[in-house]
Structures are given as C-alpha cells and as structure tokens.
Amino acid sequence: MRLSGTNHRITTMAFAPLQAFIALQEGSTAAAPAIPPLAGAALAVGLAALGAGIAERGIGAAAVGAVAEDDAMFGRGLILTVLPETLVILALVVVFLTL
Amino acid sequence: MTVRVDDQSSESGNYEYVTARVRSRRAALFDDDDYRKLVRMEPGGIARFMEESEYETEMNALGARHSGVNLVEYALNRNLAKHFEDLLRWSEGRLYDYIARYLRKFDVWNVKTVIRGLYVDADTSEIEDDLIRAGEFSERLLDRLVNAGSIEEVVDLLSDTIFGDDLAAAYQDYEDTAVLVPLENAVDRAFYEVLLAGLPNQRAADSATGLYVSFLTAEIDFRNLRNALRLARSGADIEPSEYYIEGGRLFDESTIRQLAGNTDQLVQRVRESPYGDDLDEALDTLEEAESLIEFEHALDAALLEYSDRLSNRYPLSVCPVLSYILAKEREVDNIRAIARGREAGLDSDEIEQELVIL
C-alpha cells in the first residue's frame, strides 16, 4: 500500500516537466512557426536538388564510361543522367503550392 | 610494386564508371556465331577475320614480324594485356585492389616466362613476345626482367615485389637441384598467399564482396583439385603436399595427401562439398570421360556461368568486372584453340569440343 503510494508520487513528479512543456507548446501555436511555409518549401527544393545530385553522380560516371566505349551512347547517357532532375522539378511544385 | 593499393584501399572505388565500360566491352566479345564462323575457317582466314575485328591494331602492329598462327597468338596476348591494363588504369580505391589481386596471376606468368626463357637460353625478343603485360608490374620492371642476364638477377630485381621473399628462399633449392620446380612453386605460392590476404572474412563482408572472396577461395580450391587430379591421373610419385596451396576450403594438407592417389574418392569429396551442386555435370563427365580436359572445360564453363549470374545480381560491385575478365580470358583461349587446331589439321567438330562456350 505504502509502496504504491510513493510510486504514484514519483510518476507525478516525473510528468510534471512534460505537462509544463505541453502547456508551453500550446501557448506558442499562436506565434509564428519555427520554419515559415515559404522557407519550408525552399528547404524541400534544396534537399530534392541534393538528392538529385547524389543520384546523378553515379549515373553520370556510368554514362561517361559508356560514351567512352561507344559514341552512340551519348544521347541515351545524357537522358539517363538528367532523369533525377525530375525530383527537383516536382519539388518546385511545392513552392507554387505554398505561394 | 605500386603503392596505390595501400594509399587508397580505404576509398570505396568508382564502380559505376568501370562497370559501364566493362559491360560495354563484355558485350563486344565474340559470340557463338563468330566462333562457328571461325571454326570453319582456314588459318589464313582466321588472321583476316581478326584483322577486321577488335584485334585490328594488334594484328597490324605485329604483322610485320610474325605470321600465321604465331601472329594470332601474339595479337591475342597483346590485346588481352591492353584490356586488363585498362581495367587497372580506370579503377580506384578498393576496386583497384580487388582487380589487381586477380590480375597478378599475369605477373606470375611473366616471372615464369622470364625464368624459363633464361633457363633454356632463349632470345630476349622471344621472351618479350611471350610476356602478357597485364599484371601489376610496370613496363620498366618487365623490360629489366627481360634483359636480365641470369636467374639470380631476376630474383634480385623482384626482391621488392610480393614474390621477393619466396623466390630468394627458393633460389638456394634451385642452385642445389638445377631444376625450375622450386622457383615456380615459390612464385605460385607467393601469388596465392597474397590473393586472400587482408580481405574481409567471408561472413563479415557484405554480399558482393563476400561472393568475390568466395570466388577467390574457389579459385584456390579448383587449383588444388586440378593438381590433385593430375597427380592421380599421371600416377607420378610426387609428394602432393608440395603443390598444396593454403586458403581453400575444400582440402587441407592431410586430406589432399590421402586423396591424391584416388580419383574416385576425390570426385566423391567434391560432390559432398559446397561446390557439388554447381559442378554436378562436370563431375559426371569426369567420371565418364577418359581425359581431364573435358572436366577442366566444364569447370571453366561452370565458373563463367556463375560469374555472369553474380554480375546480374550485384550490378555495382566487382562482380561484372570479374565476369568480363573471365569471359575475355575464355575468348582468347578459344581463338587460340581454334587457330592451333586448324593448324594441326583437326576437323571442326574436334575443335568445337575444345572450346568453352556458354
């Protein structure tokens, strides 16, 4: 009996900061968000471009290798290399949605 | 010896570039139709066919000095060397290390050629023609090896390479016995020792690298197996453990000594091993066939097929490069077999049996 009573007290103590935090959050919703919508959209485009760049690194290397062996591969290599750019274009849609 | 391996082995390597180039070259190799045409040609026709193919440059460069089947053979070697040298030139980091490990077998070939040439007092130019400049040795080292005056000088020149210690140790034996066997064994052993050294453990490695390690292990196992079979067939009274190479998982030194005398037991042993499934057909032909040649061809074909499967399963790894190296080696062997076979007057069916085609 007595043991469980202490337990209960400990849990209330442990949750006290959490409750304060929730209260703090509820108070701040009225203020501006940490990342404004337009900045969020800009971040999305930037991250998408970074991803496209990483993807193109490998494809570009392979394409250059293929072109070095066979000149006729230039067109196909170019197309495949820029395919990940679609990621950036799709990310641009997010910008127009937020505007 | 290069220092590139140590400097860059921590880097991961440029798989995309090398794989793309290698796949393109793999696709350009001779196919079944080309072989079928070649088998029916006269030796002169084979030379002409090759002048219009991938081997054009080499055929023209060597055409003035050689002719006939020798021309074909030297052109094949030189072309092989060019392509494999390219592989080493393109690759970086860990990929370079993986490729170089396997291509060092051409260093072994070159060292043996030079030593044998010196042993029989061959001309410098004759030795030079037989070299395959595909390994890790630089042009300069090879030139100095060719121009070396004695076997002792060769051993000295190689003291900085992986072969240095073993060769120096074996040189005493050579001086005592005046046969080349100890030296050649030393070269082989040095090669196989380095083959697996420093590679990640099979289970610890990620799948593609793990498979490459198991391929190299298989290479050692097959080498042991071939040696054991040859000993069993020839019935020669040679201590099998002298030819035993460590690192394989099929045999250890004591089992190979027991099994070397008996072909049936050897075959049984392979059937029960992890290779049993892949080599089933090959083993059947071995049990039926009179000669080892067919079994060795079946071994080669099984290996080639396996490497092709790997290269499709792991596109961005060392596997496509490996599959290309094996395929190119087979192509060179096949064309050589055709040219030599036609020269010797074999008919086309007999030659076709000598080929390894998938």
Side-chain angles (χ1 to χ4, degrees), chain B residues 189 221 224 228 231 239-260 269:
Chain B
R189 199 159 296 165
D221 277 337
N224 277 331
L231 281 180
E239 177 65 30
S241 53
E242 275 198 27
Y243 292 95
Y244 173 73
I245 298 152
E246 273 180 54
R249 53 179 179 166
L250 196 55
F251 306 110
D252 57 35
E253 210 169 329
S254 55
T255 49
I256 203 153
R257 195 173 306 150
Q258 289 163 8
L259 293 173
R269 170 89 181 182

Side-chain angles (χ1 to χ4, degrees), chain B residues 51 57-75 77-78 123-131 133 143 146:
Chain B
E51 268 167 30
T57 333
E58 287 77 19
M59 292 294 280
N60 289 338
L62 293 163
R65 283 199 294 136
H66 305 281
S67 63
V69 182
N70 281 344
L71 171 63
V72 171
E73 173 138 11
Y74 292 138
N77 282 350
R78 203 179 264 206
D123 278 348
T124 313
S125 65
E126 267 181 307
I127 302 177
E128 203 165 3
D129 285 335
D130 279 327
L131 294 184
R133 295 167 185 262
D143 287 341
V146 168

Side-chain angles (χ1 to χ4, degrees), chain B residues 61-312:
Chain B
L62 293 163
R65 283 199 294 136
H66 305 281
S67 63
V69 182
N70 281 344
L71 171 63
V72 171
E73 173 138 11
Y74 292 138
L76 286 171
N77 282 350
R78 203 179 264 206
N79 185 270
L80 182 85
K82 183 180 83 181
H83 283 290
F84 289 174
E85 203 56 20
D86 278 349
L87 292 181
L88 288 179
R89 202 158 43 82
W90 299 332
S91 53
E92 289 168 2
R94 219 175 295 154
L95 182 59
Y96 177 89
D97 182 40
Y98 289 157
I99 298 176
R101 264 170 211 276
Y102 188 73
L103 290 187
R104 279 196 199 114
K105 81 180 212 187
F106 291 103
D107 289 339
V108 173
W109 166 273
N110 288 338
V111 172
K112 282 185 183 174
T113 308
V114 170
I115 293 179
R116 283 176 191 166
L118 286 171
Y119 191 70
V120 299
D121 285 326
D123 278 348
T124 313
S125 65
E126 267 181 307
I127 302 177
E128 203 165 3
D129 285 335
D130 279 327
L131 294 184
I132 303 180
R133 295 167 185 262
E136 228 188 353
F137 286 176
S138 63
E139 289 285 304
R140 246 188 75 210
L141 179 58
L142 280 175
D143 287 341
R144 285 169 67 188
L145 283 177
V146 168
N147 289 317
S150 66
I151 293 182
E152 193 175 4
E153 213 176 315
V154 172
V155 176
D156 271 351
L157 280 172
L158 292 172
S159 58
D160 293 339
T161 67
I162 53 167
F163 307 110
D165 295 340
D166 289 278
L167 266 181
Y171 187 70
Q172 266 303 325
D173 268 358
Y174 162 73
E175 279 202 319
D176 295 343
T177 57
V179 286
L180 287 181
V181 179
L183 287 179
E184 297 194 353
N185 269 350
V187 176
D188 275 336
R189 199 159 296 165
F191 167 68
Y192 283 108
E193 266 168 23
V194 180
L195 191 61
L196 284 181
L199 278 182
N201 190 315
Q202 273 189 55
R203 288 195 195 91
D206 64 291
S207 47
T209 317
L211 285 167
Y212 184 60
V213 176
S214 42
F215 167 78
L216 294 180
T217 319
E219 176 85 15
I220 293 180
D221 277 337
F222 288 174
R223 173 64 47 203
N224 277 331
L225 179 63
R226 276 173 213 213
N227 283 345
L229 281 172
R230 280 178 190 166
L231 281 180
R233 285 270 168 175
S234 66
D237 189 23
I238 303 173
E239 177 65 30
S241 53
E242 275 198 27
Y243 292 95
Y244 173 73
I245 298 152
E246 273 180 54
R249 53 179 179 166
L250 196 55
F251 306 110
D252 57 35
E253 210 169 329
S254 55
T255 49
I256 203 153
R257 195 173 306 150
Q258 289 163 8
L259 293 173
N262 191 330
T263 317
D264 294 336
Q265 279 180 18
L266 264 174
V267 172
Q268 194 54 35
R269 170 89 181 182
V270 180
R271 251 189 226 287
E272 286 160 10
S273 73
Y275 304 114
D277 289 346
D278 296 325
L279 294 179
D280 239 1
E281 279 176 45
L283 288 168
D284 286 340
T285 53
L286 174 67
E287 278 181 330
E288 291 161 15
E290 290 299 300
S291 70
L292 276 182
I293 297 172
E294 268 181 56
F295 175 69
E296 297 198 355
H297 286 269
L299 256 180
D300 285 338
L303 208 61
L304 199 57
E305 210 179 298
Y306 179 61
S307 73
D308 270 348
R309 212 162 56 223
L310 283 189
S311 99
N312 285 336

Side-chain angles (χ1 to χ4, degrees), chain B residues 323-335:
Chain B
S323 136
Y324 168 70
I325 292 177
L326 290 178
K328 181 79 189 171
E329 279 182 315
R330 283 292 86 69
E331 180 184 276
V332 166
D333 284 351
N334 283 343
I335 299 176

Side-chain angles (χ1 to χ4, degrees), chain A residues 57-58 61-62 64-66 68-70, chain B residues 13 16-17 20-22 24-25 90:
Chain A
R57 172 190 174 275
V64 170
E69 287 300 318
D70 181 4
Chain B
E16 294 91 350
Y17 179 74
R21 294 201 76 159
V22 156
S24 167
R25 292 201 173 177
W90 299 332

